[in-house]
Amino acid sequence: MGSLRLSNVSKRFGKVVALKNMSLEISDGEYVVVLGPTGAGKTTLLKIIAGLLKQDTGEIYIDGVKVDDYPPEERNVSLFFQNFALFPHMTILENVAFGLKVRGYDSREAENRALEALRLMHLDNRAYSYPRELSGGMQQRVALARTIITGASILLLDEPLSQLDAKIKSELQYELRDFVKNLGLTALHVTNDVEEALALADRIAIINRGEVVQVGTPFEMVEEPKDVFVAGFMTDMNLMEGIVEEVSTNSVIVDIGNIKLRSSRKGSFRRGEMVIVGVKSKDFKVQKADGELVCRIEDSIFSFKYRKLIVCFDNGLRVQVKTDKSGLEKGAYVSLRVDPNDVYLFPCPKGGLRAAIAEITGVS
Amino acid sequence: MQNIWKILRITILASTFLTFTILVLFPTIFLASFPLIYIDDIRYEVFENPLIGSENLRLIIEVLTFSFKLSASTVLVDILLGIPLAFILARGNFPGKLLLETLVTLPLVMPTSGFGFASLLTWTTVSGVGKWFGLSRGILSITSNLPFIDVPIIIFIVHVSLTLPYIVRTVQAKLVEVDIVYEDASRTLGATSLTTFRKILMPELLPAIFSGSVLAFARSLGETGATIIVAGVRLTAAVAVVKWEFEFKLGAAAFLGLILVLITWLIILPAELFLTSAKGGIVKPPSLISGTIVERALIKLEAKFSKRIFKNILHGVCVALLLVLVIVPIVVVVESVFSYMFKDPYTGKTEGSVIYQLFGPANYLPIMLRSTAVSFASAFTSTYISVFLSIPLVYIIDRYRVGRILRALLKVPLVIPSSALGLSVLLFWGPKFLGLLTPSIWLIILTQIVFSVPVIVETTMAVYEGSNIKLYEDAAKTLGANPYHVVEKISLPILKEGIITGAILSFTHSLGETGAAMIVMGADIPISVLVVNMVESLAIPAALFTSAYLIIISTIMIVVFRIVSGRRRI
Ligand SMILES: Nc1ncnc2c1ncn2[C@@H]1O[C@H](COP(=O)(O)OP(=O)(O)O)[C@@H](O)[C@H]1O
Ligand SMILES: [Mg+2]
């Protein structure tokens, strides 16, 4: 059992608003990933759920019970700390077995289970080392092992895979999800890595500046981003400022500095309105230069199974294009095509595109 | 150019080392020669006295036993009271925190004789707390003993107040350093707050508790100023050294002094070894009970008592006890000064008034002013000299191999009973050996230098080791700074905090020190000793006034220090 509900939770540190009226519902057995740039309030959120911080207003319910006055050890949650917090005076095994021992488990049984968790993390051979003798990535796996076996039914994971090498990371992702699903645990996993989120989540919640921006399945988040922030965060969309030139019943034509794009996606826009146009780099089709949407290839970067082109239009607009065509050399002229269904339109946020991008990259 | 700097450096370091050897090292080491110089006196007085046989030996054993019981029980209570207080100060965040912190530190900077008198007045006389409860006597008698161990309560509580800061400060400093994330992690892994304390914090805190206890024990063992006032007829070992020196039983005094020093060493040495061998400053306690049935029962028990209400009660009790032990005597003394101002409030006689004793025939005012001058002049001079000795010493300790030995030797003056130290200084400079000085303000200054240098070296060393000073110095050198610039622009500014802290501690320590001063002062009576003399000659109103005066001076000093140094803790 481990459902979780936050209702209008707010928290501020002096002048900084870390969480603002946050509401979120996670059902028993669900794997939810919270995505957001640095400083969005992710860690604060987990600490409040764990009972390490007290929210200013709002309530938290675990399994339908209001837990605001419960101490951390009685909340049935287990928190993975962003900076691990491995106890320096205990061996790896003792660290991992700690949560079971303090819950009254027999020491033999606690250690057996701890070893099992360590095996899952490929670290059973380091059981008798001390934390300081392990690399950052190893420490992270130990901390993860320690978090997942406490018997708590809700796992709160604060960037648990951030320090791992790409290989071991993708492997552990699946093992982690398997583990959680097999035991029927509930997970609230925080990260700023989109691929990780897509691989793990039943549902994704994007937060920014302490507020939930959008919640949905990975598919929804990628295909139906609600605004520029989500689009920019979840996908590699080319985002461009444009002006609505023509509105008809089922399509809109936007002018981006003399480049016209037609969009047939839903949304209500007025003529002359400033909008943000988004096109995923995979949705541009490259073909021979034919007079329409002509651009010059500025750079061509080879990657695993496709080529990434940086192309530049006459008006100076630059976009990224993914293609599997070969023979596209630097300096060559090509034409782009895009299906009107793949042209996203978003209302222009305050401060324009520049501010929105700064926010996405966490610079602001 | 290079050569000049080299010569300059060697000159400074060599002269420092020489001065240090003569002023600090010799008088300290000289203790060891007690039995040689006094071999005949000791045999005569202690072992084979024709009149009383080995009666003095019996006395020595008696005062030692008493001192041990006193110091051990003091440390025990210090630990029980000190750990919660350290927690409140390190982890708490409440409006009166700075005040509470100052209060804990106050006994460190207060002249102990003044505080001793205030406590005596408060707990054992009608002018004290007894009055508030409508009694016609104190709530304690000077002979009321603690059950089982036969230690007078009044001595005991004075010792607890005076030594508590050592535990609180060391544990608090460690707690501030320990990242709270470990406690958080433990709690979210399911451990209750008490289990977390036992399993997570204890291993980190043990060395701090241990070294704090050692300091507190040594301090209690050597405390003279307050003890001599509240002890009545009971003798602690440190007080006995002073008394016997006054009675010219030099052999017995020296013998007892030596034993005290040896005992202190026997406690300090293993402690030092134990602490330096602990990896990363963490002691791993043998986990005998980990995962056993005993532990499971313990965890259940801890869960029961981990309720917030118990924690609040514990904290409340500790803070209340601190207030009672420290604030009440101060209040009582200040209040009594007013009620004794013009007449004795009980007999109504004007002869028993503060005014009369200060300005009347006894004429204590000029005596007091002279003592104040002696105290401040000596404390200032010794601190000033000590600062200049200590800074190059820190370098010597860090850069040369003798450094480690020097540092270990420097612990001696910090922990041995000050009366034994005073005796040693007197013997070294005085007629028995060098014959250069007789007891006077000059000997007071020399004695104070002996215990001031270690204090300043330790605080400066702490900053030195905590900062990456060598890196910055090297960086400055590669940027083209000459050695003078390196010292002036890099080293001194970084070390400043440690030097200032050390200077203030040694100044207040010098001002309040009683035991050694009594032995070396001659006719130049410092203010801290004056209180003792007033009490012994039963000039109570004068003693009252002087104690209040001392307490107010030290309170002002600590407040000024807080303002000057921002929020830094001393
Ligand atoms: N203890 C604190 N005191 C003051 N500000 C804090 C504290 N913890 C977090 N903040 C602020 O709250 C905001 C959210 O922080 P955090 O939850 O750590 O973000 P994230 O984990 O998403 O990077 C940040 O602006 C941060 O500076
Ligand atoms: Mg964070």
Side-chain angles (χ1 to χ4, degrees), chain B residues 298-351:
Chain B
L298 201 55
I299 287 172
K300 281 223 184 80
L301 192 72
E302 285 166 340
K304 253 195 213 112
F305 286 99
S306 282
K307 301 268 180 307
R308 196 164 298 160
I309 175 93
F310 289 114
K311 188 175 108 177
N312 290 344
I313 291 175
L314 178 68
H315 285 184
V317 168
C318 289
V319 172
L321 278 176
L322 178 76
L323 293 182
V324 168
L325 286 183
V326 178
I327 287 280
V328 173
I330 294 176
V331 171
V332 165
V333 155
V334 174
E335 189 218 58
S336 298
V337 169
F338 287 108
S339 59
Y340 276 89
M341 189 57 83
F342 301 108
K343 61 179 199 315
D344 183 319
Y346 302 99
T347 62
K349 286 185 186 155
T350 43
E351 289 82 16

XYZ file of all heavy atoms in Angstrom, chain B residues 298-351:
430
model
N 16.042 -2.603 22.688
C 16.505 -1.231 22.864
C 15.804 -0.301 21.879
O 15.363 0.794 22.233
C 18.022 -1.201 22.613
C 18.806 -0.034 23.188
C 18.562 0.082 24.682
C 20.291 -0.236 22.912
N 15.691 -0.769 20.641
C 15.048 0.050 19.606
C 13.588 0.324 19.972
O 13.092 1.440 19.832
C 15.155 -0.640 18.237
C 16.591 -0.532 17.725
C 14.201 -0.014 17.228
C 16.865 -1.326 16.477
N 12.930 -0.710 20.510
C 11.536 -0.525 20.933
C 11.449 0.529 22.025
O 10.588 1.404 22.019
C 10.979 -1.849 21.457
C 10.572 -2.801 20.360
C 9.225 -3.474 20.690
C 8.894 -4.493 19.620
N 9.628 -5.767 19.835
N 12.400 0.405 22.970
C 12.413 1.332 24.096
C 12.660 2.760 23.591
O 11.990 3.710 23.994
C 13.530 0.927 25.059
C 13.500 1.616 26.417
C 12.340 1.079 27.234
C 14.819 1.382 27.151
N 13.616 2.866 22.685
C 13.941 4.186 22.148
C 12.742 4.779 21.420
O 12.499 5.982 21.481
C 15.143 4.083 21.194
C 16.454 3.913 21.924
C 17.592 3.473 21.009
O 17.325 2.946 19.913
O 18.747 3.650 21.405
N 12.005 3.917 20.733
C 10.828 4.409 20.014
C 9.847 5.029 20.994
O 9.213 6.043 20.718
C 10.178 3.277 19.238
N 9.731 4.384 22.179
C 8.791 4.895 23.175
C 9.174 6.287 23.641
O 8.334 7.140 23.874
C 8.759 3.946 24.384
C 7.483 3.159 24.435
C 7.289 2.505 25.772
C 6.570 1.203 25.559
N 7.401 0.048 25.856
N 10.481 6.505 23.792
C 10.921 7.777 24.359
C 11.330 8.800 23.304
O 11.892 9.828 23.632
C 12.067 7.545 25.342
C 11.590 6.937 26.624
C 11.699 5.573 26.843
C 10.981 7.722 27.593
C 11.236 5.008 28.010
C 10.511 7.161 28.764
C 10.640 5.805 28.968
N 11.069 8.478 22.044
C 11.454 9.425 20.997
C 10.405 10.490 20.756
O 10.551 11.323 19.890
C 11.735 8.687 19.684
O 12.999 8.091 19.748
N 9.346 10.451 21.531
C 8.300 11.453 21.351
C 8.852 12.850 21.596
O 9.730 13.056 22.421
C 7.167 11.188 22.351
C 6.552 9.816 22.210
C 5.376 9.836 21.276
C 4.749 8.466 21.129
N 5.692 7.402 20.752
N 8.326 13.783 20.847
C 8.828 15.148 20.952
C 8.714 15.687 22.380
O 9.565 16.421 22.856
C 8.053 16.037 19.979
C 8.743 17.361 19.732
C 8.192 18.034 18.498
N 8.431 17.230 17.296
C 7.735 17.373 16.172
N 6.770 18.239 16.114
N 7.994 16.629 15.124
N 7.647 15.251 23.062
C 7.418 15.789 24.401
C 8.586 15.474 25.335
O 9.035 16.308 26.102
C 6.077 15.244 24.968
C 5.865 15.688 26.417
C 5.994 13.749 24.924
C 5.079 16.945 26.509
N 9.162 14.259 25.199
C 10.273 13.895 26.071
C 11.489 14.755 25.767
O 12.210 15.185 26.659
C 10.630 12.419 25.894
C 9.594 11.504 26.462
C 8.856 10.673 25.639
C 9.344 11.495 27.826
C 7.886 9.842 26.157
C 8.379 10.657 28.354
C 7.639 9.826 27.512
N 11.691 14.994 24.477
C 12.829 15.811 24.083
C 12.671 17.215 24.658
O 13.602 17.777 25.226
C 12.900 15.870 22.550
C 14.159 16.536 22.047
C 14.237 16.470 20.535
C 13.978 17.845 19.965
N 14.096 17.893 18.512
N 11.446 17.744 24.542
C 11.227 19.091 25.060
C 11.447 19.152 26.560
O 12.022 20.107 27.072
C 9.814 19.570 24.710
C 9.691 19.833 23.222
O 10.707 19.951 22.530
N 8.463 19.888 22.724
N 10.983 18.113 27.257
C 11.177 18.100 28.703
C 12.667 18.085 29.033
O 13.155 18.877 29.839
C 10.471 16.877 29.335
C 8.955 17.062 29.237
C 10.896 16.700 30.788
C 8.169 15.870 29.710
N 13.401 17.202 28.364
C 14.837 17.094 28.619
C 15.537 18.421 28.375
O 16.305 18.912 29.206
C 15.445 16.007 27.724
C 16.953 15.821 27.853
C 17.290 15.264 29.222
C 17.494 14.922 26.759
N 15.248 19.020 27.238
C 15.878 20.297 26.914
C 15.507 21.368 27.937
O 16.350 22.128 28.393
C 15.469 20.746 25.508
C 16.160 19.974 24.424
N 16.009 20.251 23.097
C 17.010 18.929 24.486
C 16.755 19.411 22.388
N 17.349 18.587 23.208
N 14.219 21.380 28.294
C 13.764 22.357 29.280
C 14.515 22.214 30.594
O 14.991 23.195 31.167
N 14.648 20.966 31.044
C 15.321 20.732 32.317
C 16.773 21.197 32.258
O 17.269 21.865 33.171
C 15.257 19.221 32.679
C 16.198 18.903 33.830
C 13.832 18.839 33.035
N 17.456 20.876 31.162
C 18.865 21.261 31.051
C 19.040 22.772 31.030
O 19.910 23.317 31.712
C 19.494 20.639 29.808
S 19.706 18.872 29.981
N 18.194 23.433 30.246
C 18.306 24.895 30.192
C 17.991 25.496 31.559
O 18.691 26.387 32.041
C 17.367 25.478 29.112
C 17.340 26.995 29.200
C 17.829 25.055 27.731
N 16.967 24.951 32.203
C 16.594 25.472 33.523
C 17.748 25.307 34.508
O 18.080 26.231 35.256
C 15.344 24.760 34.028
N 18.387 24.127 34.485
C 19.502 23.912 35.410
C 20.643 24.893 35.137
O 21.243 25.432 36.062
C 20.016 22.477 35.270
C 19.219 21.433 36.052
C 19.740 20.037 35.777
C 19.289 21.739 37.538
N 20.889 25.112 33.855
C 21.959 26.060 33.504
C 21.628 27.453 34.053
O 22.471 28.115 34.655
C 22.121 26.118 31.985
C 23.178 27.101 31.500
C 24.560 26.540 31.730
C 22.986 27.429 30.041
N 20.372 27.854 33.835
C 19.965 29.168 34.335
C 20.151 29.246 35.837
O 20.697 30.216 36.361
C 18.497 29.440 33.977
C 18.190 29.609 32.496
C 16.710 29.913 32.294
C 19.026 30.731 31.914
N 19.712 28.193 36.528
C 19.808 28.200 37.981
C 21.270 28.264 38.419
O 21.633 29.037 39.299
C 19.130 26.937 38.559
C 19.467 26.773 40.022
C 17.628 27.024 38.357
N 22.116 27.488 37.777
C 23.513 27.430 38.215
C 24.284 28.707 37.911
O 25.155 29.098 38.668
C 24.227 26.253 37.539
C 23.871 24.859 38.054
C 24.690 23.814 37.348
C 24.077 24.785 39.555
N 23.987 29.345 36.785
C 24.804 30.487 36.372
C 24.142 31.829 36.661
O 24.763 32.734 37.219
C 25.148 30.393 34.868
C 25.962 31.598 34.436
C 25.920 29.120 34.596
N 22.864 31.931 36.284
C 22.211 33.241 36.397
C 21.883 33.590 37.847
O 22.133 34.708 38.300
C 20.905 33.259 35.568
C 21.252 33.316 34.092
C 20.052 34.427 35.940
C 21.615 34.679 33.609
N 21.342 32.599 38.578
C 20.884 32.907 39.931
C 22.008 33.489 40.801
O 21.812 34.526 41.442
C 20.218 31.673 40.573
C 19.895 31.927 42.024
C 18.957 31.319 39.801
N 23.209 32.869 40.820
C 24.271 33.482 41.630
C 24.588 34.912 41.207
O 24.829 35.773 42.056
C 25.477 32.572 41.375
C 24.895 31.271 40.996
C 23.635 31.577 40.258
N 24.552 35.161 39.909
C 24.854 36.523 39.457
C 23.798 37.504 39.965
O 24.109 38.561 40.508
C 24.939 36.569 37.913
C 26.141 35.745 37.447
C 25.044 37.996 37.415
C 26.278 35.628 35.952
N 22.554 37.076 39.827
C 21.457 37.933 40.297
C 21.580 38.183 41.794
O 21.479 39.314 42.279
C 20.090 37.279 39.973
C 18.963 38.038 40.649
C 19.883 37.221 38.469
N 21.852 37.105 42.530
C 21.922 37.232 43.986
C 23.044 38.185 44.394
O 22.866 39.049 45.251
C 22.126 35.843 44.631
C 22.561 35.984 46.084
C 20.853 35.034 44.524
N 24.197 38.060 43.759
C 25.311 38.921 44.121
C 24.985 40.389 43.845
O 25.191 41.255 44.696
C 26.589 38.507 43.360
C 27.537 39.671 43.227
C 27.277 37.388 44.092
N 24.446 40.629 42.667
C 24.152 42.017 42.325
C 23.097 42.581 43.269
O 23.215 43.700 43.778
C 23.694 42.134 40.854
C 23.258 43.552 40.540
C 24.832 41.719 39.932
N 22.099 41.747 43.537
C 21.038 42.204 44.439
C 21.601 42.472 45.842
O 21.268 43.461 46.475
C 19.935 41.140 44.487
C 18.703 41.592 45.222
C 18.090 40.477 46.028
O 18.794 39.917 46.901
O 16.927 40.154 45.789
N 22.491 41.576 46.292
C 23.041 41.745 47.632
C 23.880 43.007 47.752
O 23.907 43.647 48.798
C 23.896 40.531 48.005
O 23.098 39.390 48.016
N 24.583 43.351 46.696
C 25.373 44.577 46.748
C 24.457 45.745 47.098
O 24.789 46.586 47.923
C 26.070 44.837 45.402
C 26.666 46.247 45.373
C 27.165 43.831 45.171
N 23.273 45.726 46.492
C 22.362 46.835 46.780
C 21.809 46.757 48.197
O 21.725 47.756 48.889
C 21.229 46.871 45.752
C 21.712 47.360 44.417
C 21.847 46.496 43.346
C 22.087 48.695 44.263
C 22.319 46.954 42.127
C 22.561 49.162 43.044
C 22.684 48.288 41.974
N 21.468 45.541 48.619
C 20.869 45.495 49.957
C 21.920 45.721 51.045
O 21.599 46.113 52.157
C 20.102 44.184 50.168
O 20.964 43.098 50.014
N 23.195 45.469 50.728
C 24.252 45.751 51.699
C 24.857 47.136 51.502
O 25.843 47.474 52.136
C 25.381 44.714 51.580
C 25.149 43.434 52.342
C 24.490 42.358 51.773
C 25.635 43.295 53.660
C 24.290 41.175 52.464
C 25.442 42.113 54.362
C 24.770 41.058 53.758
O 24.590 39.901 54.454
N 24.310 47.906 50.583
C 24.975 49.144 50.197
C 25.223 50.074 51.383
O 26.333 50.514 51.633
C 24.124 49.860 49.128
C 24.810 51.057 48.472
S 26.380 50.641 47.699
C 25.855 50.009 46.122
N 24.167 50.320 52.171
C 24.325 51.313 53.242
C 24.356 50.705 54.629
O 24.840 51.298 55.561
C 23.206 52.362 53.146
C 23.227 53.070 51.829
C 22.246 52.831 50.874
C 24.257 53.959 51.525
C 22.288 53.475 49.651
C 24.298 54.602 50.302
C 23.319 54.362 49.353
N 23.790 49.514 54.787
C 23.847 48.860 56.094
C 23.669 47.364 55.935
O 23.183 46.893 54.895
C 22.764 49.429 57.017
C 21.335 49.227 56.501
C 20.381 49.808 57.518
C 18.937 49.316 57.397
N 18.310 49.241 56.117
N 24.116 46.625 56.933
C 23.876 45.188 56.921
C 22.375 44.957 57.057
O 21.781 45.388 58.048
C 24.629 44.542 58.101
C 24.476 43.033 58.095
O 23.358 42.547 57.809
O 25.473 42.351 58.387
N 21.737 44.335 56.100
C 20.274 44.231 56.137
C 19.772 43.399 57.310
O 18.605 43.484 57.663
C 19.927 43.576 54.801
C 21.177 42.921 54.343
C 22.313 43.700 54.913
N 20.610 42.608 57.952
C 20.124 41.749 59.038
C 20.373 42.363 60.398
O 19.510 42.373 61.264
C 20.756 40.364 58.923
C 20.422 39.774 57.574
C 21.333 39.820 56.527
C 19.155 39.235 57.339
C 21.000 39.338 55.289
C 18.821 38.757 56.101
C 19.734 38.805 55.076
O 19.394 38.341 53.849
N 21.590 42.896 60.588
C 21.871 43.491 61.891
C 21.568 44.987 61.886
O 21.433 45.596 62.937
C 23.356 43.306 62.268
O 24.151 44.001 61.294
C 23.723 41.842 62.269
N 21.505 45.591 60.735
C 21.246 47.018 60.638
C 22.465 47.866 60.899
O 22.414 49.086 60.908
N 23.606 47.208 61.099
C 24.809 47.998 61.401
C 25.401 48.592 60.132
O 25.509 47.920 59.117
C 25.879 47.095 62.050
C 25.560 46.744 63.476
C 26.723 45.968 64.063
C 26.381 45.476 65.461
N 27.155 44.312 65.831
N 25.838 49.855 60.225
C 26.455 50.457 59.052
C 27.846 49.890 58.818
O 28.361 49.939 57.706
C 26.565 51.981 59.200
O 27.005 52.258 60.509
C 25.251 52.659 58.919
N 28.483 49.331 59.877
C 29.825 48.758 59.681
C 29.781 47.600 58.686
O 30.786 47.235 58.097
C 30.429 48.243 61.003
C 30.843 49.336 61.974
C 29.648 49.850 62.786
O 28.604 49.156 62.815
O 29.725 50.947 63.359
